[in-house]
mmCIF file of all heavy atoms in Angstrom:
data_model
loop_
_atom_site.group_PDB
_atom_site.id
_atom_site.type_symbol
_atom_site.label_atom_id
_atom_site.label_comp_id
_atom_site.label_asym_id
_atom_site.label_seq_id
_atom_site.Cartn_x
_atom_site.Cartn_y
_atom_site.Cartn_z
ATOM 1 N N ILE A 67 75.279 104.697 118.366
ATOM 2 C CA ILE A 67 74.364 103.843 119.130
ATOM 3 C C ILE A 67 73.451 104.758 119.938
ATOM 4 O O ILE A 67 73.937 105.691 120.602
ATOM 5 C CB ILE A 67 75.153 102.891 120.058
ATOM 6 C CG1 ILE A 67 76.000 101.931 119.209
ATOM 7 C CG2 ILE A 67 74.208 102.123 120.979
ATOM 8 C CD1 ILE A 67 76.948 101.058 120.005
ATOM 9 N N PRO A 68 72.147 104.537 119.877
ATOM 10 C CA PRO A 68 71.223 105.387 120.636
ATOM 11 C C PRO A 68 71.601 105.464 122.119
ATOM 12 O O PRO A 68 71.933 104.460 122.738
ATOM 13 C CB PRO A 68 69.867 104.698 120.451
ATOM 14 C CG PRO A 68 70.007 103.923 119.180
ATOM 15 C CD PRO A 68 71.444 103.495 119.112
ATOM 16 N N GLY A 69 71.584 106.673 122.646
ATOM 17 C CA GLY A 69 71.927 106.891 124.050
ATOM 18 C C GLY A 69 73.368 107.323 124.261
ATOM 19 O O GLY A 69 73.725 107.750 125.357
ATOM 20 N N LEU A 70 74.199 107.184 123.232
ATOM 21 C CA LEU A 70 75.597 107.605 123.356
ATOM 22 C C LEU A 70 75.808 108.955 122.680
ATOM 23 O O LEU A 70 75.083 109.330 121.766
ATOM 24 C CB LEU A 70 76.530 106.568 122.739
ATOM 25 C CG LEU A 70 76.584 105.209 123.435
ATOM 26 C CD1 LEU A 70 77.542 104.290 122.705
ATOM 27 C CD2 LEU A 70 76.994 105.346 124.888
ATOM 28 N N THR A 71 76.816 109.659 123.122
ATOM 29 C CA THR A 71 77.145 110.967 122.573
ATOM 30 C C THR A 71 77.902 110.811 121.261
ATOM 31 O O THR A 71 78.935 110.134 121.228
ATOM 32 C CB THR A 71 78.033 111.747 123.562
ATOM 33 O OG1 THR A 71 77.391 111.775 124.828
ATOM 34 C CG2 THR A 71 78.298 113.151 123.080
ATOM 35 N N PRO A 72 77.421 111.416 120.167
ATOM 36 C CA PRO A 72 78.189 111.323 118.915
ATOM 37 C C PRO A 72 79.461 112.170 118.992
ATOM 38 O O PRO A 72 79.464 113.238 119.577
ATOM 39 C CB PRO A 72 77.228 111.873 117.864
ATOM 40 C CG PRO A 72 76.179 112.612 118.604
ATOM 41 C CD PRO A 72 76.170 112.127 120.021
ATOM 42 N N VAL A 73 80.537 111.652 118.412
ATOM 43 C CA VAL A 73 81.794 112.384 118.328
ATOM 44 C C VAL A 73 82.297 112.324 116.893
ATOM 45 O O VAL A 73 82.163 111.310 116.222
ATOM 46 C CB VAL A 73 82.870 111.818 119.286
ATOM 47 C CG1 VAL A 73 82.509 112.090 120.729
ATOM 48 C CG2 VAL A 73 83.101 110.359 119.078
ATOM 49 N N ALA A 74 82.855 113.428 116.425
ATOM 50 C CA ALA A 74 83.338 113.474 115.047
ATOM 51 C C ALA A 74 84.656 112.723 114.880
ATOM 52 O O ALA A 74 84.898 112.099 113.857
ATOM 53 C CB ALA A 74 83.502 114.921 114.597
ATOM 54 N N ASP A 75 85.509 112.799 115.879
ATOM 55 C CA ASP A 75 86.824 112.156 115.828
ATOM 56 C C ASP A 75 86.735 110.782 116.484
ATOM 57 O O ASP A 75 86.465 110.671 117.685
ATOM 58 C CB ASP A 75 87.845 113.034 116.549
ATOM 59 C CG ASP A 75 89.255 112.493 116.472
ATOM 60 O OD1 ASP A 75 89.449 111.339 116.019
ATOM 61 O OD2 ASP A 75 90.178 113.225 116.876
ATOM 62 N N SER A 76 86.971 109.727 115.714
ATOM 63 C CA SER A 76 86.868 108.366 116.244
ATOM 64 C C SER A 76 87.823 108.106 117.390
ATOM 65 O O SER A 76 87.574 107.236 118.223
ATOM 66 C CB SER A 76 87.121 107.352 115.121
ATOM 67 O OG SER A 76 86.153 107.479 114.125
ATOM 68 N N ASN A 77 88.934 108.826 117.456
ATOM 69 C CA ASN A 77 89.874 108.649 118.563
ATOM 70 C C ASN A 77 89.260 109.083 119.895
ATOM 71 O O ASN A 77 89.722 108.671 120.946
ATOM 72 C CB ASN A 77 91.155 109.438 118.318
ATOM 73 C CG ASN A 77 92.013 108.823 117.233
ATOM 74 O OD1 ASN A 77 91.865 107.656 116.903
ATOM 75 N ND2 ASN A 77 92.905 109.607 116.675
ATOM 76 N N LEU A 78 88.225 109.917 119.835
ATOM 77 C CA LEU A 78 87.582 110.392 121.059
ATOM 78 C C LEU A 78 86.406 109.516 121.472
ATOM 79 O O LEU A 78 85.816 109.736 122.524
ATOM 80 C CB LEU A 78 87.115 111.837 120.875
ATOM 81 C CG LEU A 78 88.216 112.847 120.541
ATOM 82 C CD1 LEU A 78 87.623 114.224 120.306
ATOM 83 C CD2 LEU A 78 89.258 112.880 121.642
ATOM 84 N N ALA A 79 86.066 108.523 120.667
ATOM 85 C CA ALA A 79 84.928 107.650 120.976
ATOM 86 C C ALA A 79 85.069 106.941 122.321
ATOM 87 O O ALA A 79 84.091 106.840 123.057
ATOM 88 C CB ALA A 79 84.702 106.662 119.851
ATOM 89 N N PRO A 80 86.253 106.434 122.691
ATOM 90 C CA PRO A 80 86.360 105.785 124.011
ATOM 91 C C PRO A 80 86.011 106.716 125.171
ATOM 92 O O PRO A 80 85.465 106.274 126.172
ATOM 93 C CB PRO A 80 87.825 105.354 124.080
ATOM 94 C CG PRO A 80 88.222 105.166 122.656
ATOM 95 C CD PRO A 80 87.481 106.250 121.909
ATOM 96 N N THR A 81 86.310 108.003 125.041
ATOM 97 C CA THR A 81 85.948 108.931 126.120
ATOM 98 C C THR A 81 84.447 109.154 126.169
ATOM 99 O O THR A 81 83.904 109.440 127.232
ATOM 100 C CB THR A 81 86.672 110.284 125.958
ATOM 101 O OG1 THR A 81 86.310 110.862 124.715
ATOM 102 C CG2 THR A 81 88.172 110.109 126.039
ATOM 103 N N ALA A 82 83.768 109.015 125.039
ATOM 104 C CA ALA A 82 82.313 109.198 125.010
ATOM 105 C C ALA A 82 81.587 108.066 125.724
ATOM 106 O O ALA A 82 80.570 108.285 126.362
ATOM 107 C CB ALA A 82 81.824 109.308 123.568
ATOM 108 N N VAL A 83 82.103 106.843 125.626
ATOM 109 C CA VAL A 83 81.440 105.701 126.279
ATOM 110 C C VAL A 83 81.924 105.496 127.700
ATOM 111 O O VAL A 83 81.239 104.864 128.500
ATOM 112 C CB VAL A 83 81.609 104.394 125.474
ATOM 113 C CG1 VAL A 83 80.952 104.508 124.129
ATOM 114 C CG2 VAL A 83 83.052 103.980 125.359
ATOM 115 N N GLY A 84 83.095 105.995 128.030
ATOM 116 C CA GLY A 84 83.606 105.879 129.392
ATOM 117 C C GLY A 84 84.475 104.655 129.614
ATOM 118 O O GLY A 84 84.543 103.744 128.788
ATOM 119 N N ALA A 85 85.109 104.635 130.764
ATOM 120 C CA ALA A 85 86.065 103.573 131.093
ATOM 121 C C ALA A 85 85.387 102.222 131.289
ATOM 122 O O ALA A 85 85.955 101.189 130.945
ATOM 123 C CB ALA A 85 86.851 103.956 132.332
ATOM 124 N N SER A 86 84.176 102.216 131.840
ATOM 125 C CA SER A 86 83.533 100.926 132.123
ATOM 126 C C SER A 86 83.236 100.148 130.837
ATOM 127 O O SER A 86 83.408 98.924 130.805
ATOM 128 C CB SER A 86 82.252 101.123 132.933
ATOM 129 O OG SER A 86 81.304 101.866 132.196
#
Side-chain angles (χ1 to χ4, degrees):
I67 296 173
L70 294 180
T71 307
V73 291
D75 184 350
S76 298
N77 288 341
L78 300 177
T81 60
V83 297
S86 63

